[in-house]
Amino acid sequence: MDMTAVLDDVTMPTYRRWPVEFLSGEGAWLRDTSGDRYLDLMAGIAVASVGHCHPKVTAAISSQAASLVHVSNLFLTRPQAELAGGLADMTGGMKAFFGNSGAEAVECAIKLARRWGGSRRTIVAAEKGFHGRTLGALAATGQLDKQEPFEPLPLGFEHVPYDDIPALEAALDDEVCAVILEVIQGEAGVLVPQSGYLTEVRRLCIEAGVLLILDEIQTGLGRTGRLFAYEHEGVAPDILCLGKALAGGLPMGACLARPEIADAFQLGDHGSTFGGGPVPSSAAIAVLEVIDEEGLCERAKVAGERLMKGLEAIAPHGSVVRGMGAMIGLELPDGGARSVVEACLERKVLVNDIGDKVVRFVPPLVISDDEIDHGLGKLEEVFDAI
Ligand SMILES: Cc1ncc(COP(=O)(O)O)c(C=O)c1O
């Protein structure tokens, strides 16, 4: 059966899929229908941080699925309470709202900031930033090509250049209730701001009395070498958005907020039928335990350094390699990122392209040195052929 044709016939044409059908995964590896193994250096776009089918996560999902899958948020469930408790411990006591995706975490953050802000409604975001595809998150996203076809978008968003403190300062007038930023701009091509940027942003937000919302949907949960990327600068947000790796591949997003801000929400202000259900919550508890038990923050740092050094050594002349921990972008001087991805796929290595110029590496954090070297060997073949 030609799955590409089947999927194209019955699903909306929003994705360009590579013609590979995967059947199983283990650690940093995936296996396709022909039995071929692929080294995964993209982790389902920064999701499979603890690796594919980690036994502890699989066991948590299976055992929860065998006892209770759904009751709604109108009743008590232990996994959600345990997960929220764990996240509170990790964030200095933040309170959680659970949804089913990163975009939903951002939607919750926007609503909460506006509820907290009262008559102050404007949210300042960064150009090139990415916060999701739902209309509110899209309004926060600073990419006109993604926004324009779907206008009118919700009002009350203003965009300033990323990594530009004077521009942010100028935007913080008395209409603003919050600033939303990624700590590293992932979908823009893994753009890392200058050191000290976040510290200055935090200072400005305090001075202006506005909330700082950090979108750590991609950078969070160990990927950059710390549990949260904001820890690199020793600052903390007022509202924190998580998703992607949180439930090990099950759909889950979380919006966390300092209690005095979270308590601006009133009964009925927000909701989600599935959010924080027993199965994704159990998976997320297991993911957080694995990150801790297996030292995956440190592993992200060490593995990321090895991968980055290796890429610097083999990338075509004029390339720029940037990132933090196991979140790396390789910008090619002459573009052609998609052909690099394709040539890697032919050699059974998965990476992904951002625009025409950037190849992104966000491998599972459990990846071993040998696996990284295997990937680098294949990439070297690809670059040699350019
Ligand atoms: C920083 C950031 N925010 C939000 C999102 C949206 O997450 P989701 O696709 O789960 O809605 C993404 C997804 O790539 C992201 O990278």
Side-chain angles (χ1 to χ4, degrees):
M1 182 173 45
D2 177 355
M3 280 289 286
T4 308
V6 171
L7 270 169
D8 283 353
D9 276 353
V10 296
T11 62
M12 296 190 190
T14 56
Y15 301 111
R16 184 155 60 152
R17 296 182 172 95
W18 296 105
V20 183
E21 184 188 345
F22 288 114
L23 278 185
S24 62
E26 188 183 351
W29 295 89
L30 289 165
R31 196 179 287 276
D32 73 5
T33 41
S34 317
D36 288 336
R37 292 176 85 220
Y38 294 67
L39 179 66
D40 186 0
L41 297 183
M42 58 175 280
I45 322 185
V47 168
S49 288
V50 299
H52 294 283
C53 300
H54 190 290
K56 185 160 182 167
V57 179
T58 301
I61 293 171
S62 317
S63 108
Q64 186 58 52
S67 59
L68 182 68
V69 172
H70 179 80
V71 288
S72 88
N73 278 303
L74 302 182
F75 300 95
L76 310 175
T77 50
R78 186 169 292 268
Q80 183 177 141
E82 269 181 33
L83 174 60
L87 289 169
D89 289 345
M90 291 156 59
T91 56
M94 283 183 154
K95 284 186 169 183
F97 178 90
F98 294 105
N100 312 284
S101 64
E104 281 181 64
V106 170
E107 294 290 338
C108 176
I110 293 168
K111 284 179 70 174
L112 179 59
R114 287 191 171 161
R115 191 47 132 169
W116 174 87
S119 61
R120 294 189 286 156
R121 291 293 157 116
T122 302
I123 296 183
V124 177
E127 289 169 6
K128 298 189 190 160
F130 183 80
H131 300 289
R133 306 283 191 156
T134 53
L135 289 175
L138 188 59
T141 288
Q143 301 184 29
L144 280 181
D145 58 324
K146 292 194 171 65
Q147 294 179 321
E148 268 172 1
F150 307 105
E151 288 174 345
L153 296 177
L155 299 173
F157 291 85
E158 196 180 322
H159 292 89
V160 295
Y162 189 61
D163 202 8
D164 183 335
I165 288 295
L168 181 62
E169 188 165 17
L172 295 183
D173 60 27
D174 56 10
E175 305 276 294
V176 175
C177 61
V179 171
I180 182 166
L181 291 173
E182 293 159 271
V183 182
I184 295 172
Q185 288 191 322
E187 301 304 302
V190 190
L191 301 182
V192 185
Q194 294 167 60
S195 142
Y197 173 63
L198 206 57
T199 309
E200 280 300 286
V201 171
R202 178 68 278 188
R203 184 185 61 78
L204 284 184
C205 289
I206 291 171
E207 271 176 27
V210 310
L211 301 179
L212 175 58
I213 305 170
L214 290 182
D215 177 343
E216 290 239 27
I217 288 162
Q218 194 163 150
T219 50
L221 302 170
R223 173 138 310 271
T224 68
R226 303 292 289 262
L227 197 50
F228 302 113
Y230 61 73
E231 293 173 23
H232 290 285
E233 293 215 10
V235 299
D238 301 303
I239 301 180
L240 173 64
C241 298
L242 299 177
K244 287 200 180 277
L246 181 57
L250 293 193
M252 175 172 260
C255 174
L256 306 171
R258 294 201 285 111
E260 64 277 21
I261 294 154
D263 291 344
F265 264 161
Q266 295 170 16
L267 264 186
D269 267 357
H270 201 42
S272 162
T273 296
F274 296 118
V279 179
S281 294
S282 298
I285 293 165
V287 165
L288 298 180
E289 283 172 5
V290 171
I291 290 172
D292 181 40
E293 288 161 6
E294 299 189 11
L296 292 187
C297 295
E298 181 59 19
R299 183 62 206 148
K301 182 169 167 274
V302 174
E305 273 164 14
R306 189 178 189 93
L307 184 52
M308 205 182 277
K309 277 210 187 92
L311 288 171
E312 277 161 359
I314 62 173
H317 183 70
S319 300
V320 177
V321 183
R322 58 184 175 240
M324 201 184 269
M327 180 170 177
I328 299 169
L330 164 64
E331 184 167 332
L332 298 161
D334 304 317
R338 193 164 174 85
S339 5
V340 169
V341 173
E342 186 166 18
C344 286
L345 187 66
E346 280 161 15
R347 289 166 177 80
K348 317 281 182 232
V349 173
L350 305 181
V351 292
N352 110 288
D353 50 322
I354 306 176
D356 182 46
K357 287 210 146 173
V358 178
V359 182
R360 170 169 46 185
F361 301 84
V362 278
L365 309 183
V366 292
I367 194 165
S368 69
D369 286 353
D370 285 350
E371 288 164 343
I372 292 171
D373 295 347
H374 171 84
L376 286 167
K378 297 292 175 190
L379 277 152
E380 192 168 11
E381 286 175 28
V382 170
F383 292 140
D384 283 349
I386 285 180

mmCIF file of all heavy atoms in Angstrom, residues 166-203:
data_model
loop_
_atom_site.group_PDB
_atom_site.id
_atom_site.type_symbol
_atom_site.label_atom_id
_atom_site.label_comp_id
_atom_site.label_asym_id
_atom_site.label_seq_id
_atom_site.Cartn_x
_atom_site.Cartn_y
_atom_site.Cartn_z
ATOM 1 N N PRO A 166 16.550 47.848 23.883
ATOM 2 C CA PRO A 166 15.916 49.160 23.712
ATOM 3 C C PRO A 166 14.543 49.060 23.039
ATOM 4 O O PRO A 166 13.605 49.765 23.416
ATOM 5 C CB PRO A 166 16.912 49.924 22.822
ATOM 6 C CG PRO A 166 18.242 49.268 23.076
ATOM 7 C CD PRO A 166 17.937 47.827 23.333
ATOM 8 N N ALA A 167 14.395 48.171 22.047
ATOM 9 C CA ALA A 167 13.098 48.027 21.372
ATOM 10 C C ALA A 167 12.043 47.522 22.340
ATOM 11 O O ALA A 167 10.897 47.985 22.340
ATOM 12 C CB ALA A 167 13.236 47.067 20.178
ATOM 13 N N LEU A 168 12.430 46.582 23.186
ATOM 14 C CA LEU A 168 11.464 46.051 24.154
ATOM 15 C C LEU A 168 11.083 47.141 25.156
ATOM 16 O O LEU A 168 9.901 47.343 25.463
ATOM 17 C CB LEU A 168 12.063 44.828 24.872
ATOM 18 C CG LEU A 168 11.142 44.170 25.899
ATOM 19 C CD1 LEU A 168 9.880 43.623 25.246
ATOM 20 C CD2 LEU A 168 11.855 43.051 26.643
ATOM 21 N N GLU A 169 12.083 47.849 25.615
ATOM 22 C CA GLU A 169 11.837 48.911 26.605
ATOM 23 C C GLU A 169 10.849 49.932 26.041
ATOM 24 O O GLU A 169 9.904 50.349 26.721
ATOM 25 C CB GLU A 169 13.162 49.585 26.978
ATOM 26 C CG GLU A 169 13.024 50.546 28.127
ATOM 27 C CD GLU A 169 14.381 50.932 28.722
ATOM 28 O OE1 GLU A 169 15.420 50.710 28.059
ATOM 29 O OE2 GLU A 169 14.375 51.452 29.857
ATOM 30 N N ALA A 170 11.048 50.293 24.786
ATOM 31 C CA ALA A 170 10.182 51.304 24.163
ATOM 32 C C ALA A 170 8.744 50.804 24.030
ATOM 33 O O ALA A 170 7.802 51.597 24.016
ATOM 34 C CB ALA A 170 10.749 51.682 22.791
ATOM 35 N N ALA A 171 8.585 49.479 23.946
ATOM 36 C CA ALA A 171 7.231 48.928 23.728
ATOM 37 C C ALA A 171 6.425 48.798 25.023
ATOM 38 O O ALA A 171 5.212 48.637 24.995
ATOM 39 C CB ALA A 171 7.352 47.557 23.054
ATOM 40 N N LEU A 172 7.107 48.896 26.158
ATOM 41 C CA LEU A 172 6.409 48.600 27.419
ATOM 42 C C LEU A 172 5.642 49.820 27.947
ATOM 43 O O LEU A 172 6.037 50.447 28.930
ATOM 44 C CB LEU A 172 7.406 48.090 28.464
ATOM 45 C CG LEU A 172 8.066 46.743 28.124
ATOM 46 C CD1 LEU A 172 8.975 46.284 29.253
ATOM 47 C CD2 LEU A 172 7.028 45.671 27.821
ATOM 48 N N ASP A 173 4.528 50.148 27.295
ATOM 49 C CA ASP A 173 3.712 51.270 27.779
ATOM 50 C C ASP A 173 2.639 50.759 28.745
ATOM 51 O O ASP A 173 2.615 49.576 29.094
ATOM 52 C CB ASP A 173 3.112 52.042 26.590
ATOM 53 C CG ASP A 173 2.223 51.152 25.735
ATOM 54 O OD1 ASP A 173 1.660 50.169 26.281
ATOM 55 O OD2 ASP A 173 2.087 51.415 24.533
ATOM 56 N N ASP A 174 1.739 51.648 29.157
ATOM 57 C CA ASP A 174 0.802 51.240 30.212
ATOM 58 C C ASP A 174 -0.393 50.426 29.707
ATOM 59 O O ASP A 174 -1.319 50.149 30.457
ATOM 60 C CB ASP A 174 0.361 52.448 31.042
ATOM 61 C CG ASP A 174 -0.245 53.529 30.168
ATOM 62 O OD1 ASP A 174 -0.485 53.253 28.977
ATOM 63 O OD2 ASP A 174 -0.479 54.650 30.687
ATOM 64 N N GLU A 175 -0.362 50.054 28.429
ATOM 65 C CA GLU A 175 -1.380 49.125 27.907
ATOM 66 C C GLU A 175 -0.922 47.671 28.026
ATOM 67 O O GLU A 175 -1.684 46.740 27.819
ATOM 68 C CB GLU A 175 -1.601 49.377 26.403
ATOM 69 C CG GLU A 175 -1.966 50.788 26.032
ATOM 70 C CD GLU A 175 -3.455 51.005 26.181
ATOM 71 O OE1 GLU A 175 -4.200 50.376 25.425
ATOM 72 O OE2 GLU A 175 -3.839 51.768 27.098
ATOM 73 N N VAL A 176 0.382 47.493 28.303
ATOM 74 C CA VAL A 176 0.976 46.145 28.220
ATOM 75 C C VAL A 176 0.764 45.377 29.524
ATOM 76 O O VAL A 176 1.006 45.891 30.618
ATOM 77 C CB VAL A 176 2.486 46.249 27.915
ATOM 78 C CG1 VAL A 176 3.152 44.871 27.945
ATOM 79 C CG2 VAL A 176 2.710 46.911 26.557
ATOM 80 N N CYS A 177 0.309 44.118 29.394
ATOM 81 C CA CYS A 177 0.216 43.271 30.587
ATOM 82 C C CYS A 177 1.317 42.223 30.628
ATOM 83 O O CYS A 177 1.640 41.718 31.705
ATOM 84 C CB CYS A 177 -1.147 42.595 30.684
ATOM 85 S SG CYS A 177 -1.535 41.498 29.301
ATOM 86 N N ALA A 178 1.881 41.872 29.462
ATOM 87 C CA ALA A 178 2.875 40.790 29.481
ATOM 88 C C ALA A 178 3.785 40.840 28.275
ATOM 89 O O ALA A 178 3.449 41.397 27.231
ATOM 90 C CB ALA A 178 2.176 39.428 29.524
ATOM 91 N N VAL A 179 4.940 40.225 28.469
ATOM 92 C CA VAL A 179 5.891 39.976 27.376
ATOM 93 C C VAL A 179 5.973 38.466 27.229
ATOM 94 O O VAL A 179 6.085 37.755 28.230
ATOM 95 C CB VAL A 179 7.285 40.536 27.752
ATOM 96 C CG1 VAL A 179 8.338 40.103 26.739
ATOM 97 C CG2 VAL A 179 7.230 42.048 27.876
ATOM 98 N N ILE A 180 5.900 37.973 26.002
ATOM 99 C CA ILE A 180 6.084 36.534 25.787
ATOM 100 C C ILE A 180 7.276 36.315 24.870
ATOM 101 O O ILE A 180 7.399 36.972 23.830
ATOM 102 C CB ILE A 180 4.812 35.844 25.222
ATOM 103 C CG1 ILE A 180 5.061 34.334 25.057
ATOM 104 C CG2 ILE A 180 4.361 36.451 23.898
ATOM 105 C CD1 ILE A 180 3.793 33.516 24.827
ATOM 106 N N LEU A 181 8.160 35.411 25.284
ATOM 107 C CA LEU A 181 9.392 35.150 24.519
ATOM 108 C C LEU A 181 9.781 33.682 24.620
ATOM 109 O O LEU A 181 9.492 33.025 25.632
ATOM 110 C CB LEU A 181 10.560 35.957 25.116
ATOM 111 C CG LEU A 181 10.558 37.466 24.978
ATOM 112 C CD1 LEU A 181 11.718 38.040 25.784
ATOM 113 C CD2 LEU A 181 10.670 37.891 23.519
ATOM 114 N N GLU A 182 10.475 33.206 23.587
ATOM 115 C CA GLU A 182 11.197 31.942 23.705
ATOM 116 C C GLU A 182 12.588 32.274 24.256
ATOM 117 O O GLU A 182 13.148 33.314 23.922
ATOM 118 C CB GLU A 182 11.379 31.297 22.334
ATOM 119 C CG GLU A 182 10.093 30.831 21.677
ATOM 120 C CD GLU A 182 10.285 30.702 20.178
ATOM 121 O OE1 GLU A 182 10.075 31.691 19.450
ATOM 122 O OE2 GLU A 182 10.643 29.608 19.724
ATOM 123 N N VAL A 183 13.150 31.367 25.022
ATOM 124 C CA VAL A 183 14.499 31.609 25.551
ATOM 125 C C VAL A 183 15.529 31.432 24.437
ATOM 126 O O VAL A 183 16.550 32.117 24.390
ATOM 127 C CB VAL A 183 14.787 30.680 26.745
ATOM 128 C CG1 VAL A 183 16.160 30.964 27.328
ATOM 129 C CG2 VAL A 183 13.730 30.857 27.823
ATOM 130 N N ILE A 184 15.257 30.503 23.532
ATOM 131 C CA ILE A 184 15.987 30.393 22.262
ATOM 132 C C ILE A 184 14.899 30.278 21.200
ATOM 133 O O ILE A 184 13.957 29.496 21.373
ATOM 134 C CB ILE A 184 16.859 29.119 22.221
ATOM 135 C CG1 ILE A 184 17.961 29.186 23.272
ATOM 136 C CG2 ILE A 184 17.446 28.897 20.833
ATOM 137 C CD1 ILE A 184 18.749 27.878 23.428
ATOM 138 N N GLN A 185 15.003 31.043 20.120
ATOM 139 C CA GLN A 185 13.955 30.959 19.103
ATOM 140 C C GLN A 185 14.182 29.718 18.239
ATOM 141 O O GLN A 185 15.081 29.684 17.400
ATOM 142 C CB GLN A 185 13.947 32.220 18.238
ATOM 143 C CG GLN A 185 13.401 33.430 18.987
ATOM 144 C CD GLN A 185 13.148 34.604 18.057
ATOM 145 O OE1 GLN A 185 13.912 34.846 17.125
ATOM 146 N NE2 GLN A 185 12.072 35.329 18.313
ATOM 147 N N GLY A 186 13.357 28.705 18.480
ATOM 148 C CA GLY A 186 13.551 27.418 17.812
ATOM 149 C C GLY A 186 13.157 27.429 16.350
ATOM 150 O O GLY A 186 13.989 27.204 15.456
ATOM 151 N N GLU A 187 11.888 27.732 16.093
ATOM 152 C CA GLU A 187 11.384 27.635 14.716
ATOM 153 C C GLU A 187 11.964 28.731 13.820
ATOM 154 O O GLU A 187 11.842 28.661 12.603
ATOM 155 C CB GLU A 187 9.848 27.714 14.701
ATOM 156 C CG GLU A 187 9.158 26.631 15.505
ATOM 157 C CD GLU A 187 9.549 25.231 15.077
ATOM 158 O OE1 GLU A 187 9.359 24.882 13.908
ATOM 159 O OE2 GLU A 187 10.060 24.473 15.918
ATOM 160 N N ALA A 188 12.574 29.742 14.416
ATOM 161 C CA ALA A 188 13.202 30.790 13.601
ATOM 162 C C ALA A 188 14.579 30.344 13.108
ATOM 163 O O ALA A 188 15.248 31.073 12.384
ATOM 164 C CB ALA A 188 13.336 32.068 14.429
ATOM 165 N N GLY A 189 15.019 29.161 13.554
ATOM 166 C CA GLY A 189 16.319 28.666 13.098
ATOM 167 C C GLY A 189 17.322 28.520 14.225
ATOM 168 O O GLY A 189 18.520 28.620 14.007
ATOM 169 N N VAL A 190 16.829 28.264 15.436
ATOM 170 C CA VAL A 190 17.668 28.116 16.630
ATOM 171 C C VAL A 190 18.520 29.382 16.829
ATOM 172 O O VAL A 190 19.747 29.378 16.686
ATOM 173 C CB VAL A 190 18.556 26.837 16.584
ATOM 174 C CG1 VAL A 190 19.214 26.596 17.948
ATOM 175 C CG2 VAL A 190 17.748 25.609 16.187
ATOM 176 N N LEU A 191 17.840 30.471 17.141
ATOM 177 C CA LEU A 191 18.522 31.745 17.375
ATOM 178 C C LEU A 191 18.719 31.938 18.876
ATOM 179 O O LEU A 191 17.746 31.997 19.641
ATOM 180 C CB LEU A 191 17.700 32.902 16.799
ATOM 181 C CG LEU A 191 17.410 32.835 15.291
ATOM 182 C CD1 LEU A 191 16.629 34.059 14.838
ATOM 183 C CD2 LEU A 191 18.707 32.715 14.480
ATOM 184 N N VAL A 192 19.970 31.994 19.274
ATOM 185 C CA VAL A 192 20.317 32.154 20.689
ATOM 186 C C VAL A 192 20.599 33.631 20.939
ATOM 187 O O VAL A 192 21.456 34.209 20.270
ATOM 188 C CB VAL A 192 21.582 31.331 21.039
ATOM 189 C CG1 VAL A 192 21.876 31.380 22.530
ATOM 190 C CG2 VAL A 192 21.434 29.891 20.564
ATOM 191 N N PRO A 193 19.911 34.258 21.905
ATOM 192 C CA PRO A 193 20.192 35.686 22.153
ATOM 193 C C PRO A 193 21.538 35.859 22.850
ATOM 194 O O PRO A 193 22.115 34.899 23.364
ATOM 195 C CB PRO A 193 19.048 36.108 23.074
ATOM 196 C CG PRO A 193 18.643 34.862 23.762
ATOM 197 C CD PRO A 193 18.902 33.719 22.818
ATOM 198 N N GLN A 194 21.998 37.114 22.871
ATOM 199 C CA GLN A 194 23.247 37.398 23.578
ATOM 200 C C GLN A 194 23.084 37.079 25.052
ATOM 201 O O GLN A 194 21.991 37.244 25.607
ATOM 202 C CB GLN A 194 23.561 38.889 23.484
ATOM 203 C CG GLN A 194 23.871 39.383 22.098
ATOM 204 C CD GLN A 194 23.845 40.899 22.088
ATOM 205 O OE1 GLN A 194 24.608 41.525 22.799
ATOM 206 N NE2 GLN A 194 22.949 41.463 21.301
ATOM 207 N N SER A 195 24.182 36.661 25.663
ATOM 208 C CA SER A 195 24.125 36.381 27.085
ATOM 209 C C SER A 195 23.761 37.688 27.823
ATOM 210 O O SER A 195 24.243 38.761 27.478
ATOM 211 C CB SER A 195 25.488 35.813 27.480
ATOM 212 O OG SER A 195 25.870 36.262 28.709
ATOM 213 N N GLY A 196 22.882 37.570 28.790
ATOM 214 C CA GLY A 196 22.436 38.752 29.530
ATOM 215 C C GLY A 196 21.104 39.306 29.042
ATOM 216 O O GLY A 196 20.462 40.101 29.729
ATOM 217 N N TYR A 197 20.665 38.865 27.850
ATOM 218 C CA TYR A 197 19.402 39.386 27.303
ATOM 219 C C TYR A 197 18.226 39.109 28.240
ATOM 220 O O TYR A 197 17.464 40.010 28.601
ATOM 221 C CB TYR A 197 19.157 38.772 25.921
ATOM 222 C CG TYR A 197 17.808 39.096 25.303
ATOM 223 C CD1 TYR A 197 17.449 40.405 24.987
ATOM 224 C CD2 TYR A 197 16.891 38.081 25.032
ATOM 225 C CE1 TYR A 197 16.217 40.692 24.409
ATOM 226 C CE2 TYR A 197 15.656 38.361 24.452
ATOM 227 C CZ TYR A 197 15.322 39.662 24.149
ATOM 228 O OH TYR A 197 14.107 39.938 23.583
ATOM 229 N N LEU A 198 18.128 37.843 28.652
ATOM 230 C CA LEU A 198 16.980 37.457 29.477
ATOM 231 C C LEU A 198 16.992 38.175 30.830
ATOM 232 O O LEU A 198 15.938 38.545 31.360
ATOM 233 C CB LEU A 198 17.021 35.938 29.681
ATOM 234 C CG LEU A 198 15.686 35.279 29.946
ATOM 235 C CD1 LEU A 198 14.708 35.565 28.832
ATOM 236 C CD2 LEU A 198 15.873 33.779 30.117
ATOM 237 N N THR A 199 18.187 38.372 31.354
ATOM 238 C CA THR A 199 18.297 39.083 32.630
ATOM 239 C C THR A 199 17.758 40.508 32.481
ATOM 240 O O THR A 199 17.025 41.009 33.343
ATOM 241 C CB THR A 199 19.790 39.144 33.065
ATOM 242 O OG1 THR A 199 20.318 37.817 32.995
ATOM 243 C CG2 THR A 199 19.947 39.697 34.451
ATOM 244 N N GLU A 200 18.113 41.133 31.370
ATOM 245 C CA GLU A 200 17.632 42.494 31.115
ATOM 246 C C GLU A 200 16.125 42.511 30.875
ATOM 247 O O GLU A 200 15.409 43.413 31.335
ATOM 248 C CB GLU A 200 18.348 43.089 29.893
ATOM 249 C CG GLU A 200 19.728 43.609 30.200
ATOM 250 C CD GLU A 200 19.680 44.723 31.249
ATOM 251 O OE1 GLU A 200 19.260 45.844 30.910
ATOM 252 O OE2 GLU A 200 20.046 44.468 32.416
ATOM 253 N N VAL A 201 15.635 41.491 30.156
ATOM 254 C CA VAL A 201 14.186 41.401 29.914
ATOM 255 C C VAL A 201 13.458 41.297 31.254
ATOM 256 O O VAL A 201 12.464 41.993 31.504
ATOM 257 C CB VAL A 201 13.848 40.167 29.034
ATOM 258 C CG1 VAL A 201 12.338 39.953 28.978
ATOM 259 C CG2 VAL A 201 14.429 40.316 27.633
ATOM 260 N N ARG A 202 14.001 40.440 32.116
ATOM 261 C CA ARG A 202 13.374 40.240 33.432
ATOM 262 C C ARG A 202 13.337 41.568 34.204
ATOM 263 O O ARG A 202 12.331 41.933 34.797
ATOM 264 C CB ARG A 202 14.159 39.166 34.178
ATOM 265 C CG ARG A 202 13.744 38.804 35.582
ATOM 266 C CD ARG A 202 12.412 38.102 35.707
ATOM 267 N NE ARG A 202 11.277 39.006 35.686
ATOM 268 C CZ ARG A 202 10.011 38.656 35.922
ATOM 269 N NH1 ARG A 202 9.700 37.399 36.181
ATOM 270 N NH2 ARG A 202 9.037 39.522 35.882
ATOM 271 N N ARG A 203 14.452 42.286 34.154
ATOM 272 C CA ARG A 203 14.536 43.558 34.875
ATOM 273 C C ARG A 203 13.501 44.550 34.327
ATOM 274 O O ARG A 203 12.755 45.175 35.072
ATOM 275 C CB ARG A 203 15.953 44.126 34.733
ATOM 276 C CG ARG A 203 16.205 45.416 35.514
ATOM 277 C CD ARG A 203 17.580 46.000 35.243
ATOM 278 N NE ARG A 203 17.812 46.367 33.849
ATOM 279 C CZ ARG A 203 17.347 47.462 33.244
ATOM 280 N NH1 ARG A 203 16.601 48.306 33.916
ATOM 281 N NH2 ARG A 203 17.614 47.699 31.972
#
